[in-house]
Every structure is written in C-alpha cells, then in structure tokens.
Amino acid sequence: MTDRPLTLMAVHAHPDDEATGTGGILARYAAEGIRTVLVTCTDGGCGDGPGGVKPGDPGHDPAAVALMRHQELEASCDVLKVSDLEMLGYADSGMMGWPSNDAPGSFWQTPVQEGAARLAELMRHYQPDVVVTYDENGFYGHPDHIQAHRITMAALEMTALTPKVYWTTMPRSKMQRFGEIMREFHPDMPEPDPAEAAAMAEIGLPDDEITTWVDTTAFSDQKFDALAAHASQGENIFFLKMGKERFGELMGMETFLRVQDATGTALPENDLFAGLR
C-alpha cells in the first residue's frame, strides 16, 4: 500500500473542454477525495475575442485571447475543485482546415513524440490511476483534440504506468436528443447537407458499445458554473442556453469507452475507479 492519493488525469485540448466533457467527473471525484489533474494542451488563442470578435477578423489578438482564456480556465478549475492544472501552452490550431493549422508552434504542427515526452513527465510525476482523453478522431474531428489523443496514447507508451484509460464519448441516442434541442432553440437553423449529416451520425457510439456510465447529476450545477466561467466563449457554448435544470437533465451522465484496464473489472461499469478502491 502507498500514501499516494488515487489520481485522475484528464488531458484536454483547450480551455473550456474540461467542463464540457468531464466537468462532472472532475467535480465528483474531487468531492470523493481523489486528486484531479487537468492537462490543457493549447492556449485557446483561436477562440473568440472581447465582444465576440472572431479569429482572423480585425481586432482579434490571439495572445490577448489566450491570456483571457487562461484566467477563465483557472476560474473553471476553482469551481470544479481541480487539484492541479498543468498547461502545455501550445498555440491553438483552430478548426480543421483553418490557416492556423499550419502555423509554426501550433499544437497540430508539434511532433507527437515531443508533446508526448512532456506529457509523460507529468504522468511520471502524478502517477495517475485513471487517464481520460479523446478518441482517435478527437470526438468530432478537431485537430487539437486528435493531437491530444495522440500525445496521450504515446505518453502512456513512454511510461511504465498501467492506469485505466478512457476515451470520452457520447451515446448516439443522446446525440439525437441534442439535435432536437438545438432545433428547439434555433428553429430557423438550416438542415445540414447530407455529408455533414453523415459525419454527425458517426459522432459518439451506439449505446450498447459504451463501457462506462458515470452519474454526475449531483454535480451538474458545478459543471454548468464551470462552463459559465468561460464567459468569453459563451456564444459558442450552446449548453449555457438551456438553464441549469434542463442542463442537469441532459448532461448529468458522463460516458466513456474503456480502452486500457489492469483491474479486470466487469463491464459495463459506473465508476472510473472501479477495481481501484
């Protein structure tokens, strides 16, 4: 036995990603006395600037946006009671196909082994029992999410650690519900073209393929408040339009695909730390 605390490490791409996909587990496990470590890979500089100014528009200053988003990230971590925040500080690559994908120093242009070596050092330091990141498509194809997946899996190979490893996902049944609610809030929203609709249909997993369902309903208000801490990006955070009650109903369950496990815990499971305590 060891005095080292049970530790969760979540590896995310941008400020605000921690709240959207894992805010519930970060808050829940912190409340249960587990050390929660958040690694944020990019500076978020391709987010909206003050007044909603978009990347590439006059007046958008990536450095100023990055500073603002760092402050918002720290506020979100305070809400979620995150024990340790580590920022790798790579430049935000923007959405797939943006010119910023090719910018020197962007996360997308960073050699995987370079980013992985830095992350591996953090893993050796924190000795996580559970690691959470995205799947190989970054959940929805964002280059920085894909890169976060790549460096996480490469970093694990560089260490002798054997944590339980999970990829964030969403049940397809809930994705369909999201679409219905978005149309409710935006009745004039045009129907997606067939290619876009087909791509959307591939996001997430069939419900019966999801291995791990973690009930975080009791922490939905914290998750909502953590998202709200990223106020500069409010225009892009659809979930904030729902209000807390509806948000809790829709976002109270966080779901994952378990991809590495040495505990032998039976699936499906309802706790990322099943078999570890």
Side-chain angles (χ1 to χ4, degrees):
M1 298 296 290
T2 175
D3 292 332
R4 183 183 63 79
L6 281 173
T7 300
L8 164 68
M9 176 180 282
V11 182
H12 281 291
H14 312 97
D16 77 25
D17 290 333
E18 80 291 338
T20 307
T22 57
I25 59 165
L26 288 169
R28 171 180 162 168
Y29 290 123
E32 293 179 6
I34 288 170
R35 179 170 61 177
T36 52
V37 180
L38 171 63
V39 180
T40 301
C41 296
T42 80
D43 60 11
C46 286
D48 288 357
V53 62
K54 303 296 182 184
D57 287 349
H60 186 277
D61 179 353
V65 171
L67 176 60
M68 175 177 61
R69 298 195 71 187
H70 189 171
Q71 294 167 345
E72 292 175 338
L73 177 60
E74 290 181 336
S76 171
C77 287
D78 285 345
V79 170
L80 297 173
K81 309 302 182 188
V82 168
S83 308
D84 299 271
L85 171 62
E86 299 282 355
M87 295 195 69
L88 298 186
Y90 292 108
D92 189 341
S93 310
M95 300 296 285
M96 191 67 81
W98 286 14
S100 48
N101 294 174
D102 301 321
S106 72
F107 191 36
W108 188 236
Q109 290 299 314
T110 299
V112 169
Q113 294 303 302
E114 176 189 319
R118 294 180 62 197
L119 182 57
E121 281 302 305
L122 293 176
M123 289 180 174
R124 294 185 189 103
H125 173 72
Y126 288 107
Q127 301 275 303
D129 301 280
V130 172
V131 173
V132 176
T133 192
Y134 315 100
D135 63 19
E136 58 269 273
N137 190 46
F139 184 60
Y140 69 98
H142 193 297
D144 287 330
H145 291 226
I146 294 170
Q147 190 76 328
H149 162 86
R150 290 173 176 170
I151 74 161
T152 302
M153 302 313 291
L156 287 164
E157 290 185 4
M158 292 178 178
T159 72
L161 304 174
T162 57
K164 297 177 80 176
V165 180
Y166 295 88
W167 297 342
T168 57
T169 191
M170 191 76 72
R172 295 247 171 97
S173 60
K174 185 177 283 189
M175 291 299 298
Q176 182 177 353
R177 182 70 181 128
F178 280 150
E180 293 167 357
I181 292 174
M182 287 187 73
R183 282 189 289 275
E184 178 184 329
F185 279 88
H186 301 284
D188 298 331
M189 185 173 67
E191 290 294 324
D193 64 52
E196 184 180 341
M200 288 292 292
E202 293 300 313
I203 292 177
L205 288 173
D207 294 35
D208 62 358
E209 293 182 19
I210 290 173
T211 64
T212 310
W213 304 69
V214 183
D215 186 356
T216 62
T217 305
F219 303 92
S220 294
D221 283 2
Q222 268 178 270
K223 182 172 177 173
F224 185 95
D225 289 342
L227 271 173
H230 297 280
S232 68
Q233 308 305 304
E235 183 182 328
N236 304 317
I237 303 176
F238 163 74
F239 304 110
L240 294 176
K241 298 181 173 72
M242 298 179 185
K244 281 189 174 181
E245 182 175 352
R246 197 154 185 199
F247 178 86
E249 292 171 359
L250 192 65
M251 301 292 286
M253 184 73 70
E254 292 186 350
T255 49
F256 306 88
L257 180 68
R258 192 176 83 188
V259 296
Q260 179 175 302
D261 170 61
T263 69
T265 304
L267 296 175
E269 60 186 359
N270 60 12
D271 177 10
L272 300 182
F273 286 85
L276 293 170
R277 54 180 175 173

